[in-house]
Amino acid sequence: MHTVIKKALGHKPVLTMLAGCLLGAAASAALAAPANDNATLSQIRDSAMRDNWAYERLADLTDLVGPRLSGSPGAAAAVEQVAEAMRKLGAKVTLQPVKVPHWVRGAESGELVDYAGRPAGITQRVVLTALGGSGATPATGLTAPVLVVHSFDELQAHAAEARGRIVLFDVPFDQQMADRGMAGPAYGHGANYRVNGPRKAAELGAVAALVRSVGGADYRIAHTGATILDDKARIPAAAVTTEDALLMTRLAARGALKMHLTLTPQTLPDADSFNVIADLPGSDKADEVVIVSGHLDSWDLATGANDDGAGVAGAMGVLATLKKLNLQPRRTIRVIAWMNEENGTRGGKAYFAASKDQLEKQVAGIESDSGSGRPFGVLSSVAPKVEPLFEPLMAALEPIGAGAFTRRDVLGAADLHPLEQAGMPVFEPHVDTHSYFHYHHTPADTLDKVNPDDLRRHVAVMSALSWFLANMEQPIGRTLKP
Amino acid sequence: MHTVIKKALGHKPVLTMLAGCLLGAAASAALAAPANDNATLSQIRDSAMRDNWAYERLADLTDLVGPRLSGSPGAAAAVEQVAEAMRKLGAKVTLQPVKVPHWVRGAESGELVDYAGRPAGITQRVVLTALGGSGATPATGLTAPVLVVHSFDELQAHAAEARGRIVLFDVPFDQQMADRGMAGPAYGHGANYRVNGPRKAAELGAVAALVRSVGGADYRIAHTGATILDDKARIPAAAVTTEDALLMTRLAARGALKMHLTLTPQTLPDADSFNVIADLPGSDKADEVVIVSGHLDSWDLATGANDDGAGVAGAMGVLATLKKLNLQPRRTIRVIAWMNEENGTRGGKAYFAASKDQLEKQVAGIESDSGSGRPFGVLSSVAPKVEPLFEPLMAALEPIGAGAFTRRDVLGAADLHPLEQAGMPVFEPHVDTHSYFHYHHTPADTLDKVNPDDLRRHVAVMSALSWFLANMEQPIGRTLKP
Ligand SMILES: [Zn+2]
Ligand SMILES: [Zn+2]
């Protein structure tokens, strides 16, 4: 109907209050197919809300494959399973080669073998788990005095005492901050010690490093995660549970504390793996790509249902939703199940390297990697002036309580980060994360933590968002701060 | 002042509305010392509320000794530590010999090695822990098909299929019931399967038995506990986590499920151990005994802070409180730290056997074994007609929110149960247990779960209650249903 208007507007900015309805209708007419009108967006939303396909794929991934650490048989099986599921939907699936780190957990145990007030014959067990990238102790373990610190400043103040010791960073997770909706910053504070603490301890001559688990629950479970160590000083590094960090701090306050630590992980040569990529080809703007993604690898302790099975299932669900409705977007919607987000982000880097010559064609990217908590909107790093263009989308998501659009200068989604830094706006479902870090990187990140209804909402948000981005008439623009 | 009244009344029932004040004052005069008047009870309550002595003892017990399973070095060290702490208070401490079962945990692991839809090379790890009393698999484990049932009825319906299989009892814990204040019955339902399930499976020829952990949290932690097996069919028996029970049930619904199970615990000859008994001698009724107690043994996975370090610390705190105030009761207050509540109740049986000739002198018993949740009153199995006599006590506990007196026909406190069955009324602090079974018998039952303020309230309730029972003028009576 409004073809003339559409053509006249071209790529220039329009009065944003009018843009949604006018241009949605315009695109619709141009393609002889519906586009960003409310009817189509609502149809996508409602179809996703009725469909358990994504949850069933998540069950397959977690129950049949299980843990999927980069380089593991599980990661390889996951690549096959996810590729096959998307082939069955009729998508063109590509496996993009990625060389990944290959770290394999070994034996792990800790024992407090001496402390002030210890009765003869008594030792205290410490529950811990090696951090990804940890070096190994001798097979029989090592015994050393423990230095407990609560900050990098405190480590520096006791720098001379670190040599020959096991350094414990007893830094609490700020669950109150997470409860106030700031799970990300709360996690970032703790993860800084996990990622960088062991290396700093190694630089001071520590024989091993321990960090207090980065998570807000109190069930004596250890939270693994990546740490970054120099190859020349790859000391053993592990996360102890909150309970054990507290115990060690209390015992250290009573006097000298000595620990026996055994960690025998192996760092093997890089392994061959893949990003799984499935395209839903666009019509008149097929060379422009909207990425919708999650990461396929997980830590090895659990089946990674929330980190990030839910993200992968959500992205696959976009394909399933649009295929079921037989909707073709204008731009190509590209589902990507990334490999190696957890300990290297090699998948994201490989895709970026392969896209280097056509970065401007990567017009927008969605990555879901904050779990399957109920979504209440969309987070985005679009430029501020573009924000009002999303009103029609948010209006269509409002009926499922997901109508809030929140802009940030940088989202920092791991796999999309190189693209975001190159100017591609990034999006993610804005979900309830208050309990996400209770389970994150622990053995308890399992399918039962995913509410099927929340996952359907997740798919609804990602599907409507993907469709909207793939059919926007106006330029989506680039990020404000590349 | 009212000595005449006291003598005239003797042991006959009196008008209960008058009893508290009249007889409290009477006893006071008779002994030239305060007794059950509000001033004394309030003094006891307030002194306990200001004192961290019990919490410090709990920290010593859990941090320095740690786990205390019967027969272990920890149990022996705990006997010494607790006896010494009470000797330091000036109490006469006796170690009462108890022969205890001696079961020692070994290696334990589970792996789902085949199931419908399993990708080549993939197996799924099962988080589990042996039940106390479990038999052992061969050192290299055993492999068998799994039969999942959800009730004893379902087991009977599939009785012929149990032979040669690993039977999993997937029976959920009713956390909603626990949240409604009925943690005990919720626990009892699940514990029935843990205690009796493996034996019933063994009777049908099962090669091993698994139970879903009896607890309401979802952090993939296994809850151990006792199971009762015949020596002739001591099959391997373990608790799997809630998550793993759900996984196994889902996989069994897809088709045949096969598991590799390794459990190598040892059942050793009975070991020598002790109840720790400390008397605060009474004055004119010293031959009558009021027991105040908790159990000193714990499971081996954790430091048993709530089960039952808090009970032992609470009972010891009664002694500390009364010693500090230099108060002598009329009846003897006997602090007992029981040995072997968890897997045999041999301590309770040994005490009962030793008291057999003077059961009527065991006038009342307190056992705290429901954790250190905030107390809101007292539970008791006194006869109904005696209940009103406790009004002065409850009035004194009301200012700390612990003024509710709740009578039941039977409390069933494990160590005191033989005495209760012989007619001795039993008491316990009535505490908030909504989260007690989240941690119960798991590695997470640690000191940080005990709120020092709640423990002070605990000591206040137990101290005032012990004092009140030891100084009651009227007969405390016997239980209604021995
Ligand atoms: Zn993730
Ligand atoms: Zn107990």
Side-chain angles (χ1 to χ4, degrees):
Chain A
M1 280 201 288
H2 295 280
T3 316
V4 176
I5 294 175
K6 179 199 154 202
K7 290 202 170 150
L9 289 170
H11 277 177
K12 286 172 194 150
V14 293
L15 280 173
T16 52
M17 294 304 289
L18 287 169
C21 52
L22 286 178
L23 296 173
S28 181
L31 297 168
N36 280 343
D37 57 301
N38 190 271
T40 306
L41 290 167
S42 297
Q43 185 188 26
I44 291 168
R45 176 198 69 211
D46 293 343
S47 183
M49 287 294 287
R50 282 191 301 268
D51 201 337
N52 263 332
W53 187 88
Y55 184 82
E56 287 160 10
R57 295 297 75 70
L58 180 60
D60 287 349
L61 185 63
T62 54
D63 284 357
L64 302 181
V65 171
R68 307 173 294 284
L69 187 58
S70 291
S72 70
V79 165
E80 287 308 313
Q81 190 193 70
V82 163
E84 184 57 26
M86 293 199 286
R87 274 186 213 111
K88 274 192 188 158
L89 290 176
K92 183 181 158 254
V93 175
T94 313
L95 300 187
Q96 181 174 50
V98 183
K99 275 277 181 195
V100 294
H102 191 188
W103 178 87
V104 180
R105 188 176 302 282
E108 39 195 36
S109 65
E111 202 82 23
L112 303 175
V113 294
D114 205 9
Y115 46 87
R118 182 178 66 90
I122 299 296
T123 62
Q124 294 270 17
R125 185 172 74 109
V126 169
V127 178
L128 51 74
T129 198
L131 297 177
S134 165
T137 65
T140 55
L142 61 80
T143 302
V146 176
L147 171 65
V148 180
V149 298
H150 302 87
S151 67
F152 287 133
D153 284 348
E154 194 178 346
L155 177 65
Q156 281 313 315
H158 295 266
E161 296 160 49
R163 181 162 305 278
R165 285 207 163 82
I166 298 169
V167 173
L168 165 64
F169 294 91
D170 178 23
V171 178
F173 181 79
D174 192 340
Q175 182 60 35
Q176 295 189 326
M177 184 184 263
D179 287 339
R180 292 196 307 272
M182 292 187 287
Y187 176 67
H189 180 71
N192 183 23
Y193 283 89
R194 188 197 71 214
V195 172
N196 300 307
R199 190 181 65 254
K200 288 179 195 266
E203 286 165 3
L204 297 175
V207 295
L210 304 173
V211 298
R212 178 164 163 172
S213 284
V214 184
D218 58 352
Y219 287 86
R220 209 176 180 191
I221 51 175
H223 297 237
T224 191
T227 193
I228 297 177
L229 287 160
D230 290 335
D231 269 330
K232 287 178 191 165
R234 194 168 288 283
I235 61 172
V240 301
T241 74
T242 297
E243 285 84 348
D244 291 278
L246 293 170
L247 171 65
M248 291 174 72
T249 293
R250 290 193 302 267
L251 289 179
R254 290 181 187 249
L257 173 63
K258 194 180 279 185
M259 182 178 194
H260 184 73
L261 176 69
T262 306
L263 297 174
T264 62
Q266 290 177 276
T267 302
L268 302 175
D270 285 0
D272 290 316
S273 191
F274 305 92
N275 291 326
V276 182
I277 302 179
D279 278 359
L280 181 61
S283 54
D284 62 322
K285 298 187 174 188
D287 60 330
E288 295 186 13
V289 173
V290 170
I291 296 169
V292 56
S293 65
H295 67 82
L296 190 51
D297 63 309
S298 78
W299 281 103
D300 55 335
L301 299 175
T303 60
N306 267 313
D307 188 14
D308 182 28
V312 170
M316 291 166 73
V318 172
L319 195 62
T321 303
L322 299 180
K323 280 283 185 184
K324 194 174 190 178
L325 295 173
N326 205 19
L327 286 170
Q328 187 188 16
R330 299 183 65 193
R331 297 186 181 89
T332 294
I333 292 179
R334 177 166 294 168
V335 178
I336 308 183
W338 303 103
M339 182 51 63
N340 187 231
E341 189 276 344
E342 293 293 1
N343 56 337
T345 59
R346 299 277 185 88
K349 288 167 188 159
Y351 182 88
F352 182 77
S355 313
K356 224 184 266 176
D357 298 335
Q358 35 171 332
L359 285 177
E360 77 289 348
K361 296 297 186 188
Q362 314 293 316
V363 300
I366 306 166
E367 180 161 11
S368 165
D369 187 20
S370 296
S372 63
R374 185 164 170 151
F376 47 88
V378 168
L379 282 174
S380 169
S381 58
V382 286
K385 64 176 179 184
V386 183
E387 189 174 340
L389 299 181
F390 288 87
E391 282 169 16
L393 171 68
M394 303 326 289
L397 292 174
E398 187 55 46
I400 59 167
F405 189 95
T406 306
R407 205 199 69 79
R408 291 182 185 158
D409 285 348
V410 180
L411 281 198
D415 300 294
L416 294 177
H417 197 52
L419 288 167
E420 187 179 45
Q421 289 201 298
M424 183 190 77
V426 169
F427 298 79
E428 62 177 78
H430 197 175
V431 300
D432 175 7
T433 53
H434 86 278
S435 69
Y436 180 65
F437 291 106
H438 291 183
Y439 303 106
H440 182 253
H441 295 187
T442 77
D445 180 5
T446 49
L447 183 62
D448 52 292
K449 307 306 181 305
V450 177
N451 179 318
D453 179 62
D454 285 341
L455 190 66
R456 285 191 294 269
R457 291 167 187 274
H458 213 82
V459 175
V461 169
M462 289 173 81
S463 297
L465 173 60
S466 299
W467 177 258
F468 191 84
L469 289 167
N471 292 285
M472 277 173 79
E473 184 58 31
Q474 307 91 330
I476 300 168
R478 306 299 279 173
T479 57
L480 192 62
K481 296 189 176 178
Chain B
M1 280 202 288
H2 295 280
T3 316
V4 176
I5 295 177
K6 179 197 153 205
K7 291 201 169 151
L9 291 169
H11 278 179
K12 285 172 195 151
V14 293
L15 279 173
T16 52
M17 294 304 288
L18 288 171
C21 52
L22 287 178
L23 296 173
S28 180
L31 297 170
N36 280 345
D37 56 301
N38 189 270
T40 306
L41 291 166
S42 297
Q43 185 187 26
I44 291 169
R45 176 199 69 211
D46 293 343
S47 183
M49 288 293 286
R50 281 190 302 267
D51 201 335
N52 264 333
W53 186 89
Y55 184 82
E56 287 160 10
R57 297 296 74 68
L58 179 61
D60 286 350
L61 186 63
T62 54
D63 284 356
L64 302 181
V65 171
R68 309 173 292 282
L69 187 58
S70 291
S72 69
V79 166
E80 288 307 314
Q81 189 193 71
V82 164
E84 184 56 25
M86 293 200 286
R87 275 186 214 112
K88 275 192 188 159
L89 289 176
K92 185 183 157 250
V93 175
T94 313
L95 300 187
Q96 181 174 52
V98 184
K99 276 276 183 195
V100 295
H102 191 187
W103 179 87
V104 180
R105 187 176 303 281
E108 39 196 37
S109 66
E111 203 82 22
L112 304 175
V113 294
D114 206 9
Y115 47 87
R118 182 178 66 90
I122 299 296
T123 62
Q124 293 269 19
R125 186 172 74 108
V126 170
V127 177
L128 51 74
T129 198
L131 297 177
S134 165
T137 64
T140 55
L142 61 80
T143 302
V146 176
L147 171 65
V148 180
V149 299
H150 302 87
S151 67
F152 287 133
D153 285 348
E154 193 178 346
L155 177 65
Q156 281 312 315
H158 295 266
E161 297 161 48
R163 182 162 305 278
R165 286 207 163 82
I166 297 169
V167 172
L168 165 64
F169 294 92
D170 178 21
V171 178
F173 181 80
D174 193 340
Q175 181 59 36
Q176 293 189 327
M177 184 184 263
D179 287 338
R180 292 196 307 271
M182 293 187 286
Y187 176 68
H189 180 71
N192 182 24
Y193 283 87
R194 189 196 72 214
V195 172
N196 300 307
R199 191 180 65 254
K200 288 179 194 268
E203 286 165 3
L204 296 175
V207 294
L210 304 174
V211 298
R212 178 164 162 171
S213 284
V214 184
D218 57 354
Y219 287 86
R220 209 175 179 190
I221 52 175
H223 296 238
T224 191
T227 194
I228 298 177
L229 287 158
D230 291 335
D231 269 330
K232 287 177 189 164
R234 194 168 289 281
I235 61 172
V240 300
T241 74
T242 297
E243 285 83 350
D244 291 280
L246 293 170
L247 172 66
M248 291 175 71
T249 292
R250 289 194 303 266
L251 289 180
R254 289 181 187 249
L257 173 63
K258 193 179 279 185
M259 183 178 194
H260 184 72
L261 176 69
T262 306
L263 297 173
T264 61
Q266 290 177 277
T267 303
L268 302 174
D270 286 359
D272 290 317
S273 190
F274 305 93
N275 291 326
V276 182
I277 302 179
D279 279 359
L280 181 61
S283 53
D284 62 321
K285 299 188 173 189
D287 61 329
E288 295 186 13
V289 174
V290 171
I291 296 169
V292 56
S293 65
H295 66 82
L296 190 51
D297 63 309
S298 77
W299 281 103
D300 56 335
L301 299 176
T303 61
N306 267 313
D307 188 15
D308 183 30
V312 170
M316 291 167 73
V318 173
L319 195 62
T321 303
L322 299 181
K323 280 283 185 183
K324 194 173 189 179
L325 295 173
N326 205 17
L327 286 170
Q328 187 187 15
R330 298 184 65 192
R331 299 184 180 89
T332 294
I333 292 178
R334 177 166 294 167
V335 178
I336 308 184
W338 304 104
M339 183 50 63
N340 188 230
E341 190 275 344
E342 292 294 1
N343 56 338
T345 59
R346 299 278 185 87
K349 287 166 187 160
Y351 183 88
F352 182 77
S355 314
K356 223 183 266 174
D357 298 334
Q358 36 171 334
L359 286 178
E360 76 291 347
K361 297 295 187 189
Q362 313 293 316
V363 300
I366 305 165
E367 181 162 11
S368 165
D369 187 20
S370 295
S372 63
R374 185 165 169 150
F376 47 88
V378 168
L379 283 173
S380 169
S381 59
V382 286
K385 64 176 180 184
V386 184
E387 189 174 341
L389 298 182
F390 287 86
E391 282 170 15
L393 171 68
M394 303 327 288
L397 291 174
E398 186 56 44
I400 58 166
F405 189 95
T406 306
R407 205 199 68 80
R408 293 183 185 157
D409 286 348
V410 181
L411 281 199
D415 301 293
L416 294 176
H417 197 52
L419 288 167
E420 186 180 46
Q421 289 200 298
M424 182 190 77
V426 169
F427 299 80
E428 62 178 77
H430 197 175
V431 299
D432 175 7
T433 53
H434 85 278
S435 69
Y436 181 66
F437 290 106
H438 290 182
Y439 303 105
H440 182 252
H441 295 187
T442 76
D445 180 4
T446 48
L447 182 62
D448 52 292
K449 307 306 181 305
V450 177
N451 178 320
D453 179 62
D454 285 342
L455 189 67
R456 286 191 294 268
R457 291 166 186 274
H458 213 82
V459 175
V461 169
M462 290 174 80
S463 297
L465 173 59
S466 299
W467 177 258
F468 191 84
L469 289 166
N471 291 286
M472 277 175 78
E473 184 58 31
Q474 309 90 330
I476 300 168
R478 306 299 280 173
T479 58
L480 194 63
K481 297 189 175 178

